[in-house]
Amino acid sequence: MGINCGSPLPCIFYVQFFLLALHVHTCLAERSTYIVHMDKSLMPKLFTSHQQWYSSIVDSCKTETPTSFESRSFSPSLLYTYDNAFHGFSAVLSVDELENLKRSPGFVSAYNDKSVTLDTTHTTQFLSLNPSTGLWPASNYGEDVIVGVIDTGIWPESYSFRDDGLTKNIPDKWKGTCEVGQEFNASMCNNKLIGARYFNKGVMAANPGVTLNMNSARDTEGHGTHTSSTAAGNFVDGVSYFGYAKGTARGVAPRSRVAIYKVLWEEGKGRYASDVLAGMDQAIADGVDVISISMGFDGTPLYEDPIAIASFAAMEKNVVVSTSAGNEGPDGLGTLHNGIPWVLTVAAGTIDRLFAGTLTFGDGLTITGFTLLPANAIVEKLPLIYNKTFSACNSTKLLKSAPMGIIICDDSHAIRGQMLRLIESQVLGAVFIDKDPEVFEDGIVTFPLVVVSPDDASTLINYATTSAKPSVSMKFQQTFIGTKPAPAAAYYTSRGPSPSYPGILKPDIMAPGSLVLAAWPPNVAAGRIGSNVMLPSDYNLISGTSMACPHASGVAALLKGAHPEWSAAAIRSALMTTANPLDNTQNPILDNGDSFNFASPLAMGAGQIDPNSALEPGLIYDATPQDYVNLLCSTNFTRKQILAITRSHAYDCSNPSSDLNYPSFIVLYDRRHHTKQLRVRKFQRMVTNVGDGAAKYKASVTAPKGSTVRVSPEILFFSETYQKQSYTLTITYKGQKKGNVSFGELVWVEENEKYNVRSPIVVSPLVPVFE
Ligand SMILES: *[C@@H]1O[C@H](CO)[C@@H](O)[C@H](O)[C@H]1NC(C)=O
Ligand SMILES: *[C@@H]1O[C@H](CO)[C@@H](O)[C@H](O)[C@H]1NC(C)=O
Ligand SMILES: *[C@@H]1O[C@H](CO)[C@@H](O)[C@H](O)[C@H]1NC(C)=O
Ligand SMILES: *[C@@H]1O[C@H](CO)[C@@H](O)[C@H](O)[C@H]1NC(C)=O
Ligand SMILES: *[C@@H]1O[C@H](CO)[C@@H](O)[C@H](O)[C@H]1NC(C)=O
């Protein structure tokens, strides 16, 4: 009897960490990359194109004296020109050259290229969208919709990107292309993967002389293959992650077309805003309907945030931009990124699925717990050992003194470190007692172990300590569907309020993000045994808001297919007002990152995305580009900062208003200036009837604790479809010295209960804002 883990014993434990925090790059050379916003209306007549104009500006800003030795380039150079996401360019410049450039007519603003954070949690192996969770019924919705994914590229040979069942009728508006590059030729695109492009000038400029490992749209990291297939992968039967999550893989919008824009590279210290902007700029020009972007820029004001800037242009063209909230949870408020008023900001939740192993004891008793060992290890009737001397499992030396067998580890601190100690000490296997959601949601298992609940601890320990010859067998590769409660807000999902614009409640919604199964490149490790056995898999289970975002992108694509006339704001409204605040026990969704308390909208937005309900929301809260401009005009941003986002002087700043017609409500109090005095905040909203004909709705309010909420009028009558009605919502609240968050809801209930149009209401302490 022994353990077969695919290599001679002992199995050395190893954990592959995903690059979580990507640091702002520092460049030794004196020149560095700047992103420059220009006012295109001031282009001199002399130039026939913006490219020509920008190129002449860059050429003429060169300073006389050569720069120092460390500088690799002796002239300023233009990287990209941008014309869709915003007007301007990126260029490699010295500080002096930048100063010259600032004197050019038409200059608006400039800032250093910055690095982006990819929203996969720190692990690479984990899990899954379950095709049978029923969130998305298979349909032809999405057939005429194009999803543009901004990411690490794609593995075009993946079965998820086959075009079986898709027509050749690619929408006429499509202007994209399949760009040829290293190990990527034009025949790799098809009727599913209709476009592939790559943007490398920013990474090359920041890392002079670098040779890119894969200079094409081909994915060498896995992230982009995973997100693209989650949003829009085709049906693929018989997939699994090493025997877990077996079934048919499919994207949320399995008939949608995918276009990939590779903007993230393995090389260098960061991932560059200039490349991200170039990818988004091109996606807009190519004619995508939805942009899915699972990354974000932390600590950046709206007017310097490439995603905020490019998505404003996308919104004007009714392109839905779906973004990830970030993985900075659970501690503290205001950790999210992409809290941009004109995008969809997606939080991550868990799935009703357990990857499991079953323990069978010598006396026939069984206990099931969590495991994700990527192998079918043989553990048959091995001695089960519980000894307080080493049961903390944190000392290699003590564990080496243990007899051969399966060790019970009863200390729930830092389980990852304990796994490493167990491998170092050549223990055959372990049973952990823990309920820390981080263990389940990350899903890193590279050693034969099963994690059982503290509820089962006494049975386990009692058997191990009273039986004459305790023994245990372990069965791996089990998957249970329908576990409760689910979903829960993932512990890692970043929390609102949005530091870049706290006045709009963010995130907007929650979608499955923990242990999502999707396509993976075959030459990037998807699993590991010990430290040195890398296992390939065409499908991988990983966790993060990066995985949640493409679920929402896919649903947005389906809605776009069903309601081509809806604006991006209408689609977001439909998703938010129909989101489900309850889990599968019909109780409020819990927060895995907050001691299993009820999840606040600052963790999960309006709740779990509910695609089928979103098809028929009853009422929608719409917003026009001018409404967002009114919001920008109400901030302290300068005229030029606003222009960097809006690009156009055509907008009018004469009606500033922070009261955007948004399907949620947030009031912020300053906890430093606590008073007992009540404050009042009034919101104005306008809803459009998108139901069938006449309708009557009644307001139903649950006020946040400590506040009162008044809605006027309390009844809305609509005599026909598309009629609009307005109401006001007034919140009377007081600040809490302790910084408490309280929340409630407004639901417009249709008189026949056909529609419930729900908006979360939050009273939150203020967080520091980026300006
Ligand atoms: C593209 O690459 C594939 C795989 O390497 C090859 O079979 C095919 O002939 C190439 N097509 C063209 C047009 O070069
Ligand atoms: C191991 O855990 C025990 C019990 O929690 C603790 O007292 C001890 O300090 C830990 N030892 C190490 C090396 O971390
Ligand atoms: C626990 O382990 C220690 C160290 O290996 C050993 O001395 C002791 O006898 C063990 N206790 C039991 C009850 O087996
Ligand atoms: C604008 O700046 C003023 C003065 O610094 C400040 O009192 C006010 O709160 C700011 N307004 C916004 C919307 O940030
Ligand atoms: C605020 O939070 C503290 C600490 O959790 C709690 O003791 C207090 O009752 C809360 N106050 C209100 C008004 O909810």
Side-chain angles (χ1 to χ4, degrees):
M1 306 280 164
I3 299 169
N4 174 9
C5 53
S7 68
L9 289 176
C11 301
I12 311 291
F13 194 91
Y14 183 95
V15 179
Q16 185 183 13
F17 289 99
F18 203 85
L19 209 56
L20 176 65
L22 298 153
H23 306 287
V24 175
H25 86 274
T26 49
C27 195
L28 278 180
E30 270 191 21
R31 282 198 177 85
S32 59
T33 303
Y34 290 89
I35 292 168
V36 181
H37 288 249
M38 299 296 293
D39 184 344
K40 204 175 156 188
S41 68
L42 297 181
M43 181 168 86
K45 294 269 181 305
L46 162 74
F47 299 105
T48 53
S49 70
H50 62 281
Q51 286 96 337
Q52 212 186 26
W53 181 35
Y54 300 154
S55 154
S56 109
I57 291 172
V58 171
D59 287 346
S60 62
C61 72
K62 186 175 179 178
T63 49
E64 316 247 305
T65 42
T67 48
S68 79
F69 280 124
E70 284 161 43
S71 179
R72 305 267 191 123
S73 55
F74 293 96
S75 299
S77 63
L78 187 64
L79 296 180
Y80 296 105
T81 63
Y82 307 99
D83 202 39
N84 302 286
F86 69 100
H87 299 145
F89 56 89
S90 47
V92 182
L93 304 168
S94 69
V95 172
D96 291 345
E97 287 157 358
L98 179 68
E99 286 312 310
N100 287 347
L101 189 146
K102 284 181 178 170
R103 292 192 281 271
S104 305
F107 172 85
V108 174
S109 62
Y111 45 88
N112 247 303
D113 206 353
K114 29 180 156 266
S115 67
V116 63
T117 306
L118 205 55
D119 291 335
T120 311
T121 47
H122 45 300
T123 49
T124 54
Q125 16 215 6
F126 324 108
L127 158 244
S128 64
L129 165 61
N130 188 320
S132 55
T133 48
L135 282 174
W136 336 114
S139 79
N140 285 330
Y141 284 147
E143 172 108 39
D144 294 329
V145 181
I146 304 165
V147 181
V149 180
I150 316 290
D151 214 304
T152 60
I154 201 162
W155 193 262
E157 292 85 0
S158 167
Y159 285 13
S160 287
F161 307 118
R162 284 186 166 186
D163 62 1
D164 317 19
L166 270 79
T167 66
K168 290 190 169 53
N169 306 328
I170 295 166
D172 288 342
K173 62 176 178 176
W174 176 242
K175 299 193 181 59
T177 184
C178 198
E179 196 179 348
V180 173
Q182 189 181 349
E183 295 177 37
F184 209 112
N185 67 30
S187 62
M188 287 169 184
C189 291
N190 58 24
N191 293 321
K192 161 60 73 180
L193 179 62
I194 62 170
R197 299 193 191 247
Y198 58 105
F199 302 86
N200 59 17
K201 291 176 185 166
V203 64
M204 306 270 279
N207 302 278
V210 72
T211 303
L212 298 174
N213 171 29
M214 182 62 69
N215 195 20
S216 70
R218 184 174 291 278
D219 185 7
T220 57
E221 299 178 65
H223 193 269
T225 301
H226 200 278
T227 56
S228 316
S229 60
T230 300
N234 208 337
F235 296 88
V236 186
D237 289 334
V239 311
S240 81
Y241 175 77
F242 302 103
Y244 300 89
K246 275 187 191 156
T248 301
R250 58 177 166 179
V252 172
R255 296 276 178 262
S256 290
R257 321 289 176 156
V258 180
I260 188 78
Y261 297 84
K262 177 168 167 181
V263 299
L264 302 180
W265 301 87
E266 291 175 63
E267 290 79 10
K269 287 182 183 157
R271 294 139 190 259
Y272 302 92
S274 51
D275 292 331
V276 173
L277 273 169
M280 290 186 77
D281 193 67
Q282 191 63 57
I284 296 166
D286 285 352
V288 304
D289 298 297
V290 175
I291 289 178
S292 189
I293 181 160
S294 288
M295 65 184 91
F297 291 86
D298 293 305
T300 304
L302 289 177
Y303 50 82
E304 286 188 4
D305 180 342
I307 297 178
I309 292 162
S311 62
F312 192 92
M315 173 275 295
E316 289 176 308
K317 295 192 158 66
N318 273 334
V319 174
V320 179
V321 180
S322 168
T323 67
S324 46
N327 302 326
E328 299 300 317
D331 300 324
L333 294 177
T335 55
L336 69 63
H337 55 213
N338 293 323
I340 302 162
W342 45 91
V343 306
L344 181 69
T345 312
V346 187
T350 63
I351 300 175
D352 69 335
R353 181 169 59 184
L354 173 69
F355 299 110
T358 298
L359 306 173
T360 303
F361 301 104
D363 63 359
L365 187 80
T366 65
I367 296 179
T368 295
F370 165 80
T371 190
L372 253 180
L373 182 71
N376 187 18
I378 299 169
V379 179
E380 291 286 352
K381 297 186 180 143
L382 293 181
L384 179 68
I385 300 136
Y386 183 59
N387 184 329
K388 273 287 179 194
T389 311
F390 44 73
S391 68
C393 293
N394 60 1
S395 157
T396 309
K397 189 162 165 251
L398 288 175
L399 284 166
K400 280 194 166 167
S401 74
M404 288 295 257
I406 305 297
I407 307 291
I408 295 174
C409 300
D410 64 0
D411 185 325
S412 60
H413 291 101
I415 280 207
R416 280 234 202 101
Q418 293 181 40
M419 287 197 256
L420 289 166
R421 303 290 92 74
L422 286 158
I423 287 167
E424 286 161 7
S425 45
Q426 308 183 17
V427 165
L428 297 182
V431 179
F432 280 84
I433 302 166
D434 200 357
K435 61 168 187 169
D436 180 357
E438 188 164 353
V439 174
F440 306 101
E441 290 183 30
D442 281 359
I444 309 173
V445 178
T446 62
F447 168 82
L449 66 85
V450 171
V451 186
V452 305
S453 155
D455 297 343
D456 292 324
S458 58
T459 310
L460 173 71
I461 289 169
N462 189 43
Y463 169 72
T465 51
T466 60
S467 171
K469 216 179 159 211
S471 74
V472 67
S473 301
M474 288 176 162
K475 187 166 185 290
F476 296 93
Q477 294 174 316
Q478 295 178 301
T479 303
F480 294 94
I481 303 288
T483 56
K484 292 178 180 181
Y491 77 93
Y492 55 78
T493 197
S494 292
R495 316 291 152 142
S498 162
S500 56
Y501 193 86
I504 298 291
L505 173 55
K506 292 282 179 172
D508 295 311
I509 48 160
M510 185 171 86
S514 292
L515 297 179
V516 171
L517 183 76
W520 198 252
N523 57 0
V524 179
R528 242 171 235 266
I529 300 285
S531 65
N532 54 358
V533 183
M534 314 295 173
L535 302 174
S537 173
D538 292 335
Y539 287 82
N540 196 2
L541 292 173
I542 56 178
S543 297
T545 53
S546 278
M547 283 64 247
C549 165
H551 283 90
S553 312
V555 181
L558 296 174
L559 286 178
K560 193 91 188 168
H563 299 288
E565 75 286 4
W566 281 6
S567 68
I571 287 177
R572 180 179 54 203
S573 173
L575 292 173
M576 290 173 66
T577 62
T578 61
N580 192 345
L582 304 180
D583 63 24
N584 59 3
T585 67
Q586 300 311 313
N587 289 301
I589 290 173
L590 305 181
D591 187 345
N592 277 358
D594 182 23
S595 314
F596 309 103
N597 286 316
F598 293 154
S600 131
L602 295 176
M604 66 163 187
Q608 173 83 341
I609 194 166
D610 186 351
N612 297 326
S613 302
L615 273 172
E616 289 188 67
L619 304 177
I620 56 175
Y621 294 79
D622 211 345
T624 63
Q626 180 64 50
D627 293 337
Y628 295 111
V629 172
N630 293 346
L631 179 113
L632 288 170
C633 296
S634 76
T635 63
N636 281 343
F637 297 169
T638 64
R639 230 191 94 266
K640 286 199 165 182
Q641 287 167 342
I642 293 173
L643 188 64
I645 298 168
T646 63
R647 314 177 314 292
S648 162
H649 294 287
Y651 289 115
D652 171 8
C653 224
S654 63
N655 292 301
S657 167
S658 59
D659 196 11
L660 184 66
N661 194 37
Y662 213 80
S664 59
F665 303 89
I666 183 167
V667 293
L668 300 154
Y669 63 86
D670 189 338
R671 63 181 126 179
R672 290 165 311 169
H673 305 122
H674 176 67
T675 70
K676 289 217 153 48
Q677 211 183 330
L678 289 175
R679 291 137 208 258
V680 176
R681 171 77 195 275
K682 195 168 178 178
F683 298 87
Q684 183 82 40
R685 291 290 185 270
M686 181 189 279
V687 284
T688 307
N689 176 24
V690 294
D692 238 354
K696 180 180 163 190
Y697 284 83
K698 194 167 186 301
S700 163
V701 172
T702 306
K705 199 175 159 195
S707 303
T708 57
V709 174
R710 204 162 45 78
V711 179
S712 172
E714 290 185 328
I715 293 184
L716 297 177
F717 292 99
F718 298 89
S719 53
E720 58 189 17
T721 305
Y722 297 128
Q723 193 180 6
K724 296 177 191 298
Q725 293 292 3
S726 297
Y727 70 89
T728 58
L729 179 138
T730 310
I731 304 180
T732 308
Y733 64 101
K734 57 176 185 237
Q736 299 289 341
K737 212 178 190 169
K738 289 192 169 26
N740 302 35
V741 174
S742 56
F743 49 94
E745 63 181 25
L746 160 67
V747 187
W748 286 104
V749 182
E750 195 268 335
E751 65 178 340
N752 301 313
E753 306 244 341
K754 189 167 178 204
Y755 306 111
N756 287 305
V757 186
R758 185 180 165 278
S759 293
I761 304 171
V762 172
V763 178
S764 165
L766 198 57
V767 296
V769 179
F770 310 132
E771 287 212 43

